[in-house]
């Protein structure tokens, strides 16, 4: 499924591209565009991976996605993560193809989970029904009736992955300018001709990629192409280092429903996984509270209680910290990837919610294909039309 962009070209492209955002999605866009021979500059007001990327668990998941455009992008990205690990080194990314295990707490829940897995399998995902879940995860609570193993699920260390992709982009000639806020400069025909930064001056640009994560809505507005990207706050808990106790990324079946929910109120569903350093990560919560960064002990307590019900040994384990951040959320739960029809030269790569780390390589490759103006050569191009920003436009051509 992976596509070598360079093999799709008749010659190298020299257009100037400014990528706004140095999180993992922006880094992936820069890597693929620079690899295709473009003149790439990455601009961010902060450090590499300093926003949403630094607040994630590093999920590379197929298991939580319904068949459709997001799953298609996830399958592409999963193949490209393998390629990135091969090219950049798995230790550089802390890439772990550990697989995922989704478990149900009731017989009814198990039946629904397996029906969901069957639909995914028909779409090309490897899904393996499991009756004896304790053979895979001996420390699970007794009485779990079964689950589904997803061998393609994996994990990376998000900030390391973003930094590695950006370093690789720089090796291909890209540049990185941090501490700068960007706004567009347009020509008489309305086309983007450059990016004005807070440092002064203008970076010439044939194209600007909006990879600003949670701030993608604001950056889109500055570019004259607003998209509805909203913040959705989430908490993750971190335990003290332990011997290996959790082998897979393990989560309860209700996680899928919570990811797809549009409710504004607090939702939590248990996700538990180990890391190379021995700590265990516990998530995940979702709530729409704007950019409120307040620590909420009730959310921490709820996540901890759910994790202890799934893995009882955690009752005797200390938490060392809890961190929180904002997922860039679109109302239809799909990212915005592709050219904006309102402003020639603007391309979006944002709105991935909690899946941006997993979807980053495919997003970078797809944006680069759009920049080249050529059909995506690794899959049916129609599979990605559901991600285009056109879906947010009214008949008058304005953003909803």
């Amino acid at each position: 499924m992976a596509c070598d962009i360079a093999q799709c070209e008749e010659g190298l492209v020299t257009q100037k591209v400014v990528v706004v955002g140095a999180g993992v999605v922006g880094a992936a866009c820069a890597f693929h565009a620079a690899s295709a021979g473009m003149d790439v500059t990455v601009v961010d007001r902060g450090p590499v991976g300093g926003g949403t990327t630094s607040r994630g668990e590093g999920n590379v998941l197929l298991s939580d996605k319904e068949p459709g455009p997001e799953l298609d992008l996830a399958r592409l990205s999963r193949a490209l993560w393998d390629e990135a690990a091969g090219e950049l080194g798995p230790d550089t990314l802390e890439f772990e193809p550990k697989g995922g295990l989704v478990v149900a707490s009731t017989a009814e829940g198990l039946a629904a989970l397996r029906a969901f897995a069957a639909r995914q399998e028909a779409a090309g995902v490897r899904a393996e029904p499991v009756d004896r879940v304790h053979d895979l995860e001996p420390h699970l609570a007794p009485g779990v009736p079964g689950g589904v193993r997803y061998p393609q699920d994996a994990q990376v260390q998000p900030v390391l992955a973003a930094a590695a992709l950006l370093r690789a982009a720089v090796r291909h000639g890209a540049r990185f300018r941090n501490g700068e806020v960007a706004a567009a400069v347009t020509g008489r025909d309305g086309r983007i001709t450059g990016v004005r930064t807070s440092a002064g001056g203008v970076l010439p640009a044939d194209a600007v990629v909006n990879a600003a994560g949670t701030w993608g809505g604001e950056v889109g507005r500055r570019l004259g192409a607003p998209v509805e990207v909203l913040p959705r706050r989430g908490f993750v808990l971190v335990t003290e280092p332990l011997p290996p106790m959790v082998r897979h990324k393990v989560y309860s079946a209700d996680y899928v429903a919570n990811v797809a929910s549009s409710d504004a109120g607090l939702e939590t569903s248990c996700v538990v996984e180990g890391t190379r350093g021995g700590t265990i990560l516990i998530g995940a919560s979702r709530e729409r509270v704007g950019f409120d960064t307040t620590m909420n002990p009730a959310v921490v307590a709820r996540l901890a209680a759910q994790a202890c019900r799934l893995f009882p040994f955690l009752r005797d384990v200390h938490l060392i910290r809890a961190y929180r951040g904002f997922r860039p959320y679109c109302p239809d739960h799909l990212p915005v990837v592709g050219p904006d029809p309102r402003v020639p030269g603007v391309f979006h790569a944002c709105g991935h919610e909690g899946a941006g780390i997993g979807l980053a390589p495919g997003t970078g490759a797809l944006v680069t294909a759009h920049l080249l103006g050529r059909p995506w050569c690794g899959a049916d191009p129609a599979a990605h039309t559901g991600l285009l920003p056109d879906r947010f436009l009214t008949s008058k051509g304005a953003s909803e």
Side-chain angles (χ1 to χ4, degrees):
M1 176 176 287
C3 173
D4 184 345
I5 295 282
Q7 293 178 1
C8 300
E9 304 172 63
E10 296 174 359
L12 290 178
V13 176
T14 57
Q15 65 175 307
K16 296 181 182 297
V17 178
V18 174
V19 178
V20 181
V24 69
V25 172
C29 290
F31 169 69
H32 282 280
S35 298
M38 299 182 194
D39 183 347
V40 177
T41 302
V42 180
V43 177
D44 198 299
R45 64 181 183 177
V48 178
T52 296
T53 295
S54 66
R55 305 296 175 172
E57 296 173 73
N59 291 338
V60 181
L61 300 183
L62 303 185
S63 55
D64 64 339
K65 295 171 180 62
E66 286 272 8
E70 188 180 30
L71 181 58
D72 293 334
L73 185 61
R75 292 179 60 220
L76 167 63
S77 291
R78 180 62 185 84
L80 291 176
W81 273 123
D82 274 336
E83 291 187 12
E87 179 176 343
L88 306 177
D91 291 339
T92 303
L93 310 172
E94 289 193 9
F95 177 72
E96 296 182 81
K98 63 174 68 174
L101 179 64
V102 186
V103 297
S105 57
T106 65
E108 294 79 8
L110 181 59
L113 170 61
R114 290 186 173 170
F116 175 73
R119 295 196 300 274
Q120 292 177 301
E121 197 167 22
V125 176
R126 292 169 58 194
E128 303 168 355
V130 177
D131 294 320
R132 296 166 57 91
V133 291
H134 292 88
D135 290 348
L136 298 178
E137 292 289 347
H139 300 289
L140 273 170
V144 175
V148 176
R149 179 174 178 267
Y150 289 88
Q152 293 163 293
D153 281 0
Q155 182 179 6
V156 296
Q157 207 294 332
V159 177
L160 290 180
L165 288 167
L166 192 53
R167 281 197 302 270
V170 169
R171 288 197 294 272
H172 286 285
R175 294 167 298 279
F176 175 44
R177 297 170 59 140
N178 71 318
E180 300 187 22
V181 178
V185 176
T186 57
R188 292 180 179 177
D189 60 353
R191 172 174 287 278
I192 291 288
T193 60
V195 170
R196 191 186 312 278
T197 75
S198 55
V202 173
L203 298 174
D206 302 302
V208 179
V209 178
N210 172 16
T214 307
W215 296 97
E218 170 62 19
V219 170
R221 184 189 64 77
R222 292 179 194 165
L223 297 174
V227 288
E228 192 171 4
V229 179
L230 307 169
R232 203 176 187 191
R233 189 174 69 186
F235 284 74
V236 176
L237 316 184
V238 186
T239 74
E240 61 187 317
L242 301 168
M245 301 287 284
V246 182
R247 301 173 180 175
H248 301 76
K249 183 182 294 288
V250 182
Y251 63 85
S252 55
D254 59 353
Y255 174 83
V256 175
N258 284 355
V259 168
S261 172
S262 295
D263 289 349
L266 174 65
E267 296 178 339
T268 60
S269 50
C270 190
V271 183
V272 181
E273 64 184 311
T275 67
R276 285 193 179 187
T279 58
I280 292 176
L281 304 181
I282 298 168
S285 67
R286 284 171 159 75
E287 54 185 332
R288 286 165 52 190
V289 293
F291 284 100
D292 182 359
T293 60
T294 304
M295 171 58 73
N296 188 339
V299 177
V300 174
R302 186 188 294 192
L303 288 172
Q306 290 177 338
C308 290
R309 285 196 293 271
L310 193 61
F311 285 99
F313 78 87
L314 289 171
R315 293 174 184 145
D316 300 317
V317 173
H318 293 96
L319 290 177
I320 59 173
R321 68 187 181 104
Y323 60 89
R324 56 207 181 274
F326 300 100
R327 302 177 180 94
Y329 158 85
C330 284
D332 62 358
H333 302 283
L334 292 175
V336 189
V337 182
D340 195 295
R342 294 164 294 182
V343 183
V346 171
F347 296 76
H348 296 291
C350 54
H352 297 77
E353 200 168 337
I357 293 159
L359 299 177
T363 299
L366 190 56
V367 165
T368 301
H370 283 301
L371 287 166
L372 293 169
R374 305 188 180 198
W376 175 248
C377 63
D380 178 4
H384 304 295
T385 57
L387 306 178
L388 292 171
D390 307 54
R391 68 187 195 270
F392 293 127
L393 307 184
T394 67
S395 58
K396 295 180 180 180
S399 180
E400 295 281 6

